[in-house]
Amino acid sequence: MNLKADEAQGVRVAWAMPNYGPIFSPVYASHLAAIAYASRFFTNEQIGDMPMLACTDRMYITSACNTIVKEAKENNLTHIFWTESDMILPKDAVPKLLALKKPIASGIYFLRGGTGQPCLYKRTPLEMKENPYLHTPITMYDERGPFRVDCPGMGCVLIEMGVFDKVPEPWFDLKSNDIGKTNGYGQDLYFYTKVRWAGIEVWVDPSVICDQIDTQVVGYKDYRRRLAEGKGFGGGFIGLDAHVVDK
């Protein structure tokens, strides 16, 4: 994992999954496997533990997210690993993201519908006064190594608690478009915009690949098919800017 014990001593990670409704059995199984793997990794490496599992049910998502952050702060945790109830996670997601040693480290998943569109976004080139939270999709990304983005969603992301000290409350909010306007935003776009305003970098590890499930499982295979069919651009950004993470 390229993570030395002395570099991660005292890690205390909260597992957070704001939820509303049923959880698919493949999601449940993958989350249990990832929790068990992370707990065993922390124990074997003697670097920390995962003392908090926060799975809310039928609570408005922004209220749930803000409540989880407050509880993590009260319990003196060092990180929150955020996931969602439709994410099929790789078992080693948490240790891999921790090894990046970044304030915000995310894996990659792909949007519903089977189009192969990654849930990765860059801020729009010109910020609109009507909606400063607008982002443009990254339709193609660099698989050679970790790279920076502005919004990777909340499906598989490890966030240091210090981020929530630098970003003012509320950390999460959302809004529907008003009639005839494009002034709506999701809770993830809202959060990551405030992160950017606070000068905090967001990194992605392209080796941490998740599947998303709805009526079907969508994932990396759909992305590769999209590229093979020449549909990789679609008017969005091309994220070919991998960086070598500082050792």
Side-chain angles (χ1 to χ4, degrees):
M1 294 294 176
N2 297 322
L3 187 66
K4 298 179 181 179
D6 59 347
E7 295 175 335
Q9 201 68 37
V11 169
R12 290 170 53 82
V13 181
W15 183 282
M17 187 182 70
N19 180 51
Y20 195 95
I23 299 175
F24 293 98
S25 57
V27 171
Y28 185 73
S30 77
H31 286 207
L32 287 179
I35 291 170
Y37 187 96
S39 297
R40 186 166 62 249
F41 175 81
F42 291 149
T43 299
N44 290 344
E45 299 296 325
Q46 299 181 339
I47 62 172
D49 60 357
M50 186 176 285
M52 175 178 166
L53 299 179
C55 181
T56 62
D57 186 30
R58 301 191 181 281
M59 187 177 185
Y60 197 59
I61 189 166
T62 55
S63 297
C65 291
N66 288 316
T67 297
I68 288 171
V69 174
K70 290 177 182 178
E71 291 187 1
K73 280 174 165 284
E74 291 172 0
N75 286 278
N76 298 317
L77 301 185
T78 61
H79 299 73
I80 300 178
F81 175 75
W82 296 90
T83 186
E84 296 173 346
S85 59
D86 55 359
M87 287 290 110
I88 300 176
L89 302 170
K91 66 179 182 180
D92 56 355
V94 173
K96 275 191 169 183
L97 296 179
L98 190 62
L100 277 184
K101 294 173 280 189
K102 298 296 183 181
I104 301 179
S106 177
I108 296 177
Y109 61 97
F110 303 86
L111 301 180
R112 297 174 181 174
T115 64
Q117 170 60 47
C119 184
L120 300 171
Y121 298 88
K122 295 287 286 183
R123 61 177 172 173
T124 52
L126 296 176
E127 192 169 278
M128 295 176 57
K129 290 183 179 180
E130 180 184 61
N131 188 351
Y133 306 107
L134 288 178
H135 285 64
T136 301
I138 294 174
T139 55
M140 187 176 178
Y141 64 88
D142 199 329
E143 299 185 46
R144 295 174 298 173
F147 57 91
R148 291 190 289 262
V149 298
D150 288 315
C151 174
M154 297 295 294
C156 179
V157 59
L158 184 70
I159 303 177
E160 293 180 356
M161 289 304 301
V163 169
F164 300 104
D165 294 328
K166 296 177 181 177
V167 173
E169 295 185 55
W171 301 288
F172 299 95
D173 194 10
L174 58 80
K175 182 183 184 301
S176 299
N177 286 329
D178 293 327
I179 296 176
K181 295 185 177 182
T182 57
N183 59 347
Y185 47 83
Q187 54 113 6
D188 53 350
L189 296 180
Y190 177 87
F191 170 71
Y192 285 114
T193 299
K194 295 181 78 171
V195 163
R196 174 167 54 82
W197 290 344
I200 301 169
E201 291 185 348
V202 181
W203 284 76
V204 169
D205 183 345
S207 73
V208 180
I209 299 293
C210 310
D211 288 333
Q212 187 171 33
I213 186 169
D214 187 13
T215 55
Q216 61 179 338
V217 176
V218 297
Y220 182 73
K221 65 182 186 305
D222 300 293
Y223 172 71
R224 296 304 303 181
R225 186 184 67 246
R226 176 189 184 131
L227 297 185
E229 293 172 351
K231 301 177 182 179
F233 304 101
F237 283 108
I238 302 174
L240 298 179
D241 56 350
H243 295 74
V244 177
V245 179
D246 295 335
K247 300 298 182 183

